[in-house]
Amino acid sequence: MTSAAKVYLVGAGPGDPDLITLKAIKALQQAEVVLVDDLVNPALLAHCPQARIVPVGKRGGCKSTPQHFINRMLVALAEQGQQVVRLKGGDPFVFGRGGEEMLALRAANVPYEIIPGMTSGIAACASMEVPVTHRGLNHGVTFVTGHTQDGGPLPWQALVASNTTLVIYMGLQHLPEISRALIEAGMSADMPCMVVENGTRDDQRSVISSIQAMPYEAHREEIKSPAIIVVGEVVTLAKRTEQAPDWQHSLQSWLNQAHAA
Ligand code: SAH
């Protein structure tokens, strides 16, 4: 390995190509090889015209590259002395398997650096003017996957009891089960819910409804992946869109209920 060789695990941000860090752009500008996920906006590759681009994503009808193969490729490229960027959608450590790649590099004694990115769960909320936390409405925010590795259930009762905004990644396929599980765990069927497809991209779409009606509404609007599901009273603060009910009117009663509970 030459002394220059290094692997950068880089967050590409949520989709809007301006929502990437300067540090990420600098890494792209000096990269020799860039391994790209399919959630990454291809416009970002304009920052690395000199680099060899290796797509390793899951979409586009192709089979995804197995994770262990990506891990080995990162190590092998660094051992050849290359400057490598592994460009991942959002933040590499938020449901991005960046941790696995880091551990593979660590085990092989390959120098690496993590460059965080803006995660889609926060950015999609911001684009809809939804603060993920809001004093008086909740105690925090919980990022959760809607699709566990072993298919096992999530701790729904604890999630409902936490009184945090739930930001659910990879949940669209399981929206009916998620909705049912949250209500069975004690969440009000009227709890505001928002789904954001292609957050921060030009083709962003969103639906706002209740947790009970959302599976139907999202299906009716033909919402597709990638999409973030947001559950919590903060959704009442969303900017008005065609589909959004007029939550502002009911906000005060939500606050009253929350404080009475
Ligand atoms: N590391 C990424 C998440 C990867 S998991 C991040 O930090 O954002 C993939 C899931 O992320 C998708 O199933 C979807 O739930 C979400 N996602 C990624 N990009 C998105 C976008 N632009 N809009 C909405 N959801 C997105």
Side-chain angles (χ1 to χ4, degrees):
M1 207 181 315
T2 71
S3 59
K6 190 164 173 181
V7 177
Y8 294 83
L9 298 180
V10 178
D16 176 344
D18 284 351
L19 287 176
I20 187 169
T21 63
L22 277 176
K23 199 162 191 173
I25 290 177
K26 287 179 189 165
L28 284 170
Q29 285 168 342
Q30 49 78 50
E32 291 167 283
V33 192
V34 180
L35 274 68
V36 195
D37 269 354
D38 42 27
L39 280 173
V40 170
N41 191 327
L44 289 171
L45 302 180
H47 295 294
C48 53
Q50 78 291 346
R52 179 155 66 92
I53 307 297
V54 183
V56 290
K58 297 190 182 97
R59 283 156 217 266
C62 305
K63 269 179 106 184
S64 70
T65 313
Q67 187 64 46
H68 64 86
F69 187 77
I70 297 175
N71 296 351
R72 264 192 269 140
M73 204 175 350
L74 291 173
V75 171
L77 288 165
E79 285 175 346
Q80 287 164 20
Q82 308 240 15
Q83 290 282 350
V84 186
V85 164
R86 172 74 173 106
L87 192 59
K88 301 169 82 78
D91 182 273
F93 281 179
V94 179
F95 303 122
R97 306 190 70 173
E100 292 163 53
E101 294 172 9
M102 177 186 73
L103 292 176
L105 295 166
R106 213 184 259 176
N109 276 323
V110 170
Y112 61 84
E113 186 173 336
I114 315 298
I115 303 184
M118 178 174 298
T119 190
S120 56
I122 292 180
C125 287
S127 72
M128 291 300 293
E129 302 179 7
V130 169
V132 288
T133 69
H134 192 75
R135 208 150 69 108
L137 287 183
N138 61 30
H139 300 312
V141 53
T142 305
F143 298 107
V144 63
T145 170
H147 161 101
T148 55
Q149 193 178 14
D150 55 5
L154 288 164
W156 296 111
Q157 299 211 333
L159 290 172
V160 172
S162 70
N163 188 27
T164 61
T165 303
L166 302 181
V167 177
I168 306 173
Y169 292 68
M170 297 173 282
L172 192 64
Q173 255 62 55
H174 302 282
L175 192 46
E177 296 95 296
I178 291 169
S179 164
R180 204 174 322 119
L182 285 171
I183 295 169
E184 278 173 15
M187 181 175 276
S188 162
D190 294 329
M191 181 62 83
C193 178
M194 170 172 83
V195 171
V196 184
E197 170 192 300
N198 283 322
T200 78
R201 290 195 179 221
D202 291 341
D203 52 357
Q204 168 170 330
R205 297 197 304 145
S206 60
V207 178
I208 294 182
S209 184
S210 65
I211 186 62
Q212 185 170 43
M214 186 55 96
Y216 168 73
E217 298 288 348
H219 179 72
R220 196 180 59 167
E221 295 294 327
E222 299 183 14
I223 294 292
K224 301 271 181 320
S225 188
I228 282 285
I229 303 165
V230 185
V231 187
E233 291 166 22
V234 287
V235 170
T236 59
L237 301 174
K239 67 180 174 190
R240 297 297 311 281
T241 62
E242 291 286 302
Q243 305 106 340
D246 188 359
W247 291 112
Q248 307 300 330
H249 280 149
S250 48
L251 178 60
Q252 196 54 50
S253 64
W254 273 105
L255 281 167
N256 293 344
Q257 273 180 27
H259 288 154

